[in-house]
Amino acid sequence: MAIRKIINYGHPYLRVKSQKVEKIDDEIRKLIEDMIETMIDAEGIGLAAPQVAQTISLLVINTDHIEEGAEPEAFINPVIYDDEGESSMEEGCLSIPDIREDVKRPETIKIKYTDIDGLEHDEQMSGMLARVMQHEVDHLNGVLFIDKISPMKRRLLSKKLKNIASGSN
Ligand code: NI
C-alpha cells in the first residue's frame, strides 16, 4: 500500500466527470488499497478517486467513523437514483483544507454500486453514511461542497479559496 497525494481545490481534475470503472482488475484493487490508506492517514471519513488525480467512478468511506469496528469500504460506479427529506450538517473536504460549512442535503438516499468483489448492491442509506456518500458521489461529478453553500458565504471564503488554489494555504 502507498499513500497518494491528495490534490486541492483549484486542480482541474476536481471538476471533471469521472469515467465508469469497466473492470475491477489488480490496478483498481491497488488503487482502492492506496485510497483507503491515504484516507486514514489524512483522518478523512471519505475519499473519491479524483482527489488522488484518478478521474474514475470510485470512492472509499471509512465506515469506522460511522459504525465502530466497521471496515473501510470501496464503492465502485455508485449512482444515487432517489432521495428523500432534508438535513443540514457541517462538512469539510480533504481537498479544501481548513474550511467547514453547513450544507443542506437529502436525509435518505437510494444508491446502486458495485463492491470490490464485483457484486452489485442496491441499498437505502440515511444519516451520516448518506451524508458522506452524497459528498463523495458529488466529487465523481466534479461537484464540491462549497458549490452548495450560499453565494454570500462563498464570497466570504473567496480569499481562502484563492489561497488554497494557489498552493499557499
Ligand atoms: Ni471532499
Side-chain angles (χ1 to χ4, degrees), residues 51 92-94 135-136 139:
Q51 294 182 276
C93 180
L94 293 175
H135 176 115
E136 301 308 333
H139 274 300

Side-chain angles (χ1 to χ4, degrees), residues 32-45:
I32 288 171
E33 277 187 9
D34 288 355
M35 283 173 61
I36 287 173
E37 192 179 4
T38 303
M39 168 179 68
I40 289 171
D41 177 70
E43 297 179 1
I45 307 179

Side-chain angles (χ1 to χ4, degrees), residues 46-48 51 91-96 135-136 139 143-145:
L47 185 69
Q51 294 182 276
E91 293 187 23
C93 180
L94 293 175
S95 294
I96 314 175
H135 176 115
E136 301 308 333
H139 274 300
V143 175
L144 302 171
F145 82 94

